Amino acid sequence: MCIYISGRINYSLASHNIIKMAIRQSSDMNKFKDALRSAKKVVFLSGAGISAESGIPTFRGAGGLWRKYQASALATPGAFRSSPSLVWEFYHYRREVAAKAQPNAGHIAIANYESKYGTEKEITVITQNVDGLHARAGTKNLIELHGNLYKTRCTKCKEVLINLTNPICAALENRGAPDANVVGSDIPVKELPHCQKCSGLLRPHIVWFGESLDPDILQKAEAAMESCDVCLVVGTSSVVYPAAMFAPQAAARGATVAEFNIEPTPATHDFQFYFEGPCGTTLPTALDG
Ligand code: BV8
Ligand code: ZN
């Protein structure tokens, strides 16, 4: 059976699958483990996929919707300006989901690897996730690129605080239901979380789309990426910048990069190693010494 693609190039479906299979085949795990054993500086770069097996929906997977919204449509300053109530319901829901979730074998394998080799190697975990599961698994040297669900920032005095209370304010009690048939969000602004110091409206201390990352955090992450020998890219679709640039740049300067994902990503061809499968299974194998 032939398929025609633009430019009237046609190739058999069979060869199409062979090409895909070639990309999709997992790499030689023993070869990767040799490279990891001799590494002095190791970086883990994680995305939503590492928390998928903890029951936290990823952005682009089936669970990427809350009510009728794409998560990325709510994670913007514009959404917060136009409906702080809706955005707070969204984050309240995610705080509740993450609080009930447990770190999975992938998070734990990374934390155990750090405690076992952290004295002889420089090990850094850079995460795009805001769910706090790496820290709860025991990871110490952690860079949270995009903030954390359990931190708030005052929109007036900019104070950043850790806030673990659930619900974060009385008005959010029993709110945040993800069902598509829940319409609207009408919590008056005065009942949303406010700053104890200056009574300014609080927002999640999270980097939204269109917002710059904290320069110090970005600098720390870039320094780790520029000097690592081995980088393990775990559970990320590699489509959100600047995080999506990090691993391809490391591979381009000669670092050994291994991708752990359930499917290839736009960056897979940049990397020497690709291990297909849930990272709760593949990471413990890769990190067991
Ligand atoms: C910036 C916090 C400079 C929020 C996040 C137009 C205007 C402004 C900016 C832009 C623009 N166009 C492009 C940009 C840049 C933009 C961007 O990259 N957009 C993309 C969509 C093209 N970036 C930004 O805005 C960044 N800031 O550029 O500042 C600037 C400033 C002003 C103007 C211009 C530039 C800020 C980006 C940070 C946004 N905040 N998170 C929140 O969480 O609520 S990003 C958020 O999405 C995540 O943190 C993560 O980074 C990203 C999601 O990606 P993933 O984590 O990879 O998750 P995803 O679901 O996509 O993929 C999951 C993967 O796991 C899949 O590959 C799947 O196969 C795999 N998987 C699933 N299960 C498993 C698994 N793998 C292994 N095991 C499993 N079990
Ligand atoms: Zn304040």
Side-chain angles (χ1 to χ4, degrees), residues 119-165:
T119 46
E120 62 193 80
K121 298 175 189 278
E122 190 180 295
I123 298 169
T124 310
V125 179
I126 302 173
T127 189
Q128 301 171 79
N129 300 339
V130 295
D131 57 34
L133 289 185
H134 279 297
R136 284 176 51 199
T139 287
K140 300 280 178 286
N141 191 15
L142 176 64
I143 300 173
E144 293 182 313
L145 281 180
H146 298 151
N148 185 296
L149 285 170
Y150 303 100
K151 286 183 181 170
T152 60
R153 184 167 81 238
C154 175
T155 56
K156 221 159 124 193
C157 71
K158 311 299 175 206
E159 184 181 54
V160 175
L161 288 176
I162 293 173
N163 183 310
L164 299 166
T165 41

Side-chain angles (χ1 to χ4, degrees), residues 21 24 30 42 47 87 128 142 157-158 163 186 252:
M21 277 305 288
R24 288 175 68 89
N30 289 326
V42 178
V87 173
Q128 301 171 79
L142 176 64
C157 71
K158 311 299 175 206
N163 183 310
D186 54 359

Side-chain angles (χ1 to χ4, degrees), residues 64-81:
L65 277 175
W66 177 81
R67 293 188 186 162
K68 57 181 185 351
Y69 304 95
Q70 270 296 338
S72 44
L74 294 166
T76 71
F80 188 69
R81 257 193 313 278

